[in-house]
């Protein structure tokens, strides 16, 4: 059963013992007919019982005692309490002192109905003040521990972890910057391109596309890079019989060497030069030109 905040507060104050007599009667009446409400009160008693074990007794300050004395009327100089005169019993006949029987004389009785025992009230107020101070100290300690060291508390007193979902903006995919592209026409003359060599400046991968070259039986075309910065022409591999041949053989060369070199194709034995040097005639050559500039 769901209870309102007022009902929960009543249960907590009942466990603390701070309710008035009428409010306690109201809570006890609810407890007699509602077992769920009894469970709420018992839960508060368990929680506060744990706090009572965590916090020791705290002696109130002298100014607290002074306020209690003022509240119960003990402040200032106390005047002596004057008891009323007891009425003397009437004597039927006057007798000599020696003849009066002391056992027959009625002794006056002291009326203490108007005497207030302030010491008991002071003790009661002192107990109330001590209890309230201890409860306040326990509550402060509970709040501090819950805020800074919740792991020290029993599981029932630990604050529930709240999950906060933060919505982060979707990452924006960076625009793909255009990389520089270089192309060389490998040919014998301007009218007869045999291969198209394309080089990616970023990866240094190259692709050779067969255009007009005719495959020779028992022979292979091999691609070479020729530069004055190299001691001799270097092989970039055999050009396959398919339309496109891709390699990553330029990765070992500096960009200046790649961009300024001359690329040549020779006719070698099938499978390429057996010596690592060009053995056949150079049939096609070309130099790279920039077709796509790099992004600025």
């Amino acid at each position: 059963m769901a209870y309102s905040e007022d009902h929960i507060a009543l249960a907590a104050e009942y466990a603390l013992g701070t309710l008035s007599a009428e409010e306690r009667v109201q809570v006890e009446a609810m407890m007699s007919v509602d077992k769920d409400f009894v469970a709420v009160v018992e839960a508060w008693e368990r929680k506060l019982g744990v706090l009572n074990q965590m916090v020791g007794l705290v002696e109130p300050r002298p100014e607290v005692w002074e306020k209690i004395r003022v509240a119960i009327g003990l402040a200032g100089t106390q005047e002596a309490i004057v008891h009323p005169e007891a009425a003397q019993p009437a004597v039927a006949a006057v007798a000599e002192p020696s003849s009066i029987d002391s056992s027959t004389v009625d002794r006056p009785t002291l009326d203490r109905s108007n005497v207030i025992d302030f010491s008991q009230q002071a003790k009661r107020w002192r107990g109330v003040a001590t209890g309230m101070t201890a409860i306040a100290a326990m509550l402060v300690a509970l709040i501090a521990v819950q805020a800074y060291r919740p792991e020290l508390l029993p599981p029932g007193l630990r604050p529930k972890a709240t999950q906060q979902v933060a919505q982060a903006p979707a990452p924006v995919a960076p625009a793909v910057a255009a990389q520089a592209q270089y192309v060389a026409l490998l040919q014998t003359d301007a009218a007869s391109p045999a291969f198209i060599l394309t080089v990616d400046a970023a990866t240094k991968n190259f692709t050779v596309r067969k255009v007009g070259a005719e495959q020779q039986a028992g022979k292979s075309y091999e691609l070479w890079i020729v530069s004055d910065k190299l001691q001799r022409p270097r092989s970039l591999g055999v050009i396959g019989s398919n339309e496109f041949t891709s390699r990553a053989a330029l990765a070992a060369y500096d960009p200046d060497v790649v961009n300024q070199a001359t690329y040549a194709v020779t006719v070698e034995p099938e499978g390429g030069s057996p010596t690592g040097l060009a053995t056949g005639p150079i049939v096609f050559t070309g130099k790279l030109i920039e077709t796509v500039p790099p992004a600025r």
Side-chain angles (χ1 to χ4, degrees), residues 176-180 293-296:
V176 178
Q179 301 294 337
R296 301 298 183 185

Side-chain angles (χ1 to χ4, degrees), residues 164-170:
Q164 298 181 353
V165 179
Q167 185 174 3

Side-chain angles (χ1 to χ4, degrees), residues 109-128:
T109 58
L110 181 62
D111 184 6
R112 300 181 62 87
S113 61
N114 62 343
V115 177
I116 302 174
D117 192 350
F118 289 107
S119 63
Q120 294 297 326
Q121 289 192 4
K123 290 179 180 180
R124 184 163 55 252
W125 280 103
R126 182 180 302 174
V128 171

